Amino acid sequence: MSGNNKKVIGIVAGVLVVGGVVGGNVYADKELKAIYSMDKQDGKKIKFKKVDYNVGTFSGDIIWEAEITVDPCHPEQNIVIKGNDHVTRGLTGYDIHSKIDVDDNKIKQLFDNKPVATVDTHINWFGQADVQAKSPSFIKNQDQFKVDWAGIDLAFKAKKENDDLFFKDIVLNIPNLTVQEGNKQSMIQNIVYKVDQSYANKLIASTSELSIGSIQANWGDRLELNQLKYAGNVSDKNNKFSGTQKFSIQDATFGQYRLNKFLLNTEITDIAKADAQKAFVDINHLQETCMSEQDRLSQLVKAVSPLLEKGFKFNSKQNVLEVNNQKVTFDFDGTLKPSTYPTDFEQMIRTVPQNLTFNYSAEVDKGFMRLIRPELTENDVKQIADAYHAKVTDHTLALSGKFENGKLQ
């Protein structure tokens, strides 16, 4: 796929989501006109440039133009989106039907000069917005390049709380995206992403889910993954955050390899809440500020150092990787000890392992080792087992140990 085509598809995907947010006017306020205020900006990434407000007692239209900052160091790459909102005032609040367009000729051609997204929003008198955003599907053929896009559906509720945006019941659906260039093809199907609640500028307890029906790519060797699932949970207790993640793949194929099962479970506990919140805000700010990569890394270290210095605990259990019916199972649990860290990024990365301590255990099928290194003899396997103090059976190696002071014990 050419660089220009990748850029166009990336812009379409990003604008449909971000454009739905702007077009749905989720900056919910009790005063409708305040939503469109030119001098009341809600972040640096999206800014209203022009607003033509013409709403009477019961209905009216608002034509607006906003700019999305893609890269703060390259304002020439900013994306301009335009909206036409029809407003109706009723007994329970405002109903707004929005048509969103993008000021980009390639994207206009993809959508046959039709709106990139339509958004239906209801804003009640308490300032809560219920948003339903959709993009149309299309199939485009040009030379040897083909795009089959099934559109996007996005739904959520939002409300302004204490100068922040509170979101809940977020559901994003992407049924299908297929890109073909010559005899090369990539396809992703049935993406569903859900979040129960979140703030724009604050970390809170929440749950999230991501599922992907299948990913397929044919770029010489065929790659296929089926039923990818992720579930995350953040809990908040005693001024500490904890997070659990579960990731699984039902099956996959790549060349001669067949993934029979993959399951990864992780948990991080005892994360200092105040430091995590500050790091979250500071890292978001970095994305909105133009600076050199060296300065960015320096600021990143500054943002995460207080969090690392407090330390935290982590574990990962009941993990499975099975390829061509050969299996590996593994578990570990440990601690990042409280410590101080250097202000230089590379030095910090080298320092982290020195403060890590964890216990691990694993069981590896001999057949799995030979998948990776077919030349291994039984004597080679025995030498590897001796080196890691592993117990050897007819079919497996079982090993356990401890990582401390930057090395395996």
Side-chain angles (χ1 to χ4, degrees):
M1 192 190 310
S2 70
N4 286 335
N5 289 327
K6 288 180 180 178
K7 180 181 177 181
V8 168
I9 292 168
I11 290 174
V12 170
V15 167
L16 288 176
V17 176
V18 177
V21 171
V22 176
N25 302 296
V26 300
Y27 307 104
D29 231 307
K30 293 181 181 179
E31 295 292 335
L32 179 66
K33 197 168 184 177
I35 298 171
Y36 296 88
S37 175
M38 293 280 289
D39 59 359
K40 182 183 176 185
Q41 303 292 344
D42 291 271
K44 295 183 179 180
K45 285 189 173 294
I46 307 171
K47 288 184 178 295
F48 282 110
K49 295 179 64 181
K50 183 172 66 175
V51 176
D52 182 7
Y53 188 91
N54 185 20
V55 179
T57 304
F58 296 105
S59 66
D61 294 284
I62 305 166
I63 299 173
W64 54 266
E65 187 174 302
E67 190 172 60
I68 301 174
T69 300
V70 179
D71 184 341
C73 292
H74 296 280
E76 73 280 1
Q77 297 177 2
N78 288 357
I79 301 168
V80 175
I81 62 175
K82 299 178 178 181
N84 190 329
D85 298 354
H86 180 69
V87 180
T88 305
R89 191 198 310 260
L91 293 176
T92 60
Y94 296 99
D95 288 299
I96 305 172
H97 179 71
S98 307
K99 296 179 181 179
I100 312 295
D101 240 327
V102 180
D103 196 9
D104 183 286
N105 288 331
K106 289 184 178 180
I107 295 175
K108 286 179 180 292
Q109 290 173 9
L110 282 176
F111 286 89
D112 295 322
N113 292 315
K114 296 177 182 178
V116 171
T118 57
V119 186
D120 288 290
T121 306
H122 177 75
I123 302 178
N124 66 26
W125 299 122
F126 298 100
Q128 177 174 289
D130 290 82
V131 182
Q132 299 277 340
K134 295 179 179 292
S135 72
S137 60
F138 64 80
I139 298 176
K140 287 292 179 182
N141 286 287
Q142 184 178 2
D143 299 326
Q144 290 189 315
F145 184 70
K146 178 180 178 180
V147 180
D148 185 346
W149 169 276
I152 290 179
D153 291 335
L154 173 66
F156 57 88
K157 294 178 174 62
K159 187 175 182 180
K160 183 158 266 184
E161 292 185 0
N162 300 322
D163 294 324
D164 201 352
L165 282 172
F166 174 70
F167 299 90
K168 68 175 183 176
D169 302 333
I170 303 168
V171 181
L172 174 68
N173 285 282
I174 305 176
N176 176 73
L177 172 61
T178 302
V179 180
Q180 186 171 342
E181 188 171 15
N183 59 357
K184 298 177 180 180
Q185 179 176 288
S186 301
M187 179 172 64
I188 185 165
Q189 292 183 310
N190 299 324
I191 302 175
V192 180
Y193 178 61
K194 298 180 181 180
V195 181
D196 66 337
Q197 61 179 3
S198 70
Y199 280 92
N201 298 307
K202 183 170 66 175
L203 291 172
I204 60 170
S206 62
T207 60
S208 59
E209 297 177 10
L210 172 66
S211 63
I212 302 175
S214 66
I215 298 174
Q216 298 178 23
N218 189 354
W219 295 72
D221 287 325
R222 179 175 173 80
L223 169 67
E224 181 175 349
L225 299 94
N226 295 306
Q227 297 300 319
L228 289 79
K229 294 184 178 181
Y230 166 85
N233 178 74
V234 176
S235 59
D236 178 359
K237 187 176 181 181
N238 299 327
N239 286 321
K240 298 278 189 179
F241 279 131
S242 295
T244 60
Q245 301 83 34
K246 294 183 179 182
F247 179 67
S248 65
I249 302 174
Q250 178 179 284
D251 60 75
T253 302
F254 179 65
Q256 61 180 322
Y257 298 104
R258 171 78 175 179
L259 178 69
N260 309 109
K261 184 177 182 180
F262 178 69
L263 181 62
L264 178 65
N265 304 295
T266 61
E267 181 180 29
I268 303 177
T269 61
D270 294 342
I271 302 171
K273 180 178 177 179
D275 293 314
Q277 174 59 40
K278 188 174 186 308
F280 179 74
V281 172
D282 290 347
I283 291 171
N284 282 344
H285 179 69
L286 286 178
Q287 298 173 357
E288 300 174 346
T289 307
C290 177
M291 61 181 68
S292 68
E293 284 304 309
Q294 186 61 41
D295 287 342
R296 192 176 300 277
L297 286 175
S298 177
Q299 291 298 315
L300 180 63
V301 171
K302 186 177 179 181
V304 302
S305 287
L307 186 63
L308 297 177
E309 287 173 0
K310 299 289 177 59
F312 52 80
K313 297 178 181 178
F314 57 90
N315 68 77
S316 184
K317 299 178 180 179
Q318 298 180 336
N319 304 300
V320 180
L321 172 62
E322 184 174 339
V323 180
N324 290 8
N325 298 313
Q326 305 299 319
K327 190 184 329 183
V328 176
T329 60
F330 57 97
D331 305 85
F332 60 84
D333 68 273
T335 302
L336 178 67
K337 297 180 293 186
S339 181
T340 57
Y341 287 87
T343 56
D344 178 77
F345 178 78
E346 293 184 358
Q347 291 181 10
M348 185 192 75
I349 294 299
R350 288 195 293 268
T351 304
V352 168
Q354 302 298 321
N355 295 314
L356 276 178
T357 300
F358 62 86
N359 299 304
Y360 66 90
S361 62
E363 188 169 291
V364 185
D365 287 350
K366 291 179 179 178
F368 187 92
M369 298 174 64
R370 294 193 176 99
L371 279 177
I372 302 171
R373 295 179 58 187
E375 77 281 2
L376 287 179
T377 64
E378 189 65 28
N379 188 55
D380 293 331
V381 172
K382 185 177 182 305
Q383 289 181 6
I384 293 172
D386 290 342
Y388 289 95
H389 308 288
K391 296 180 180 179
V392 184
T393 68
D394 289 341
H395 303 289
T396 64
L397 275 71
L399 61 154
S400 61
K402 187 173 185 178
F403 180 90
E404 193 171 30
N405 297 323
K407 58 181 70 174
L408 292 173
Q409 304 297 321

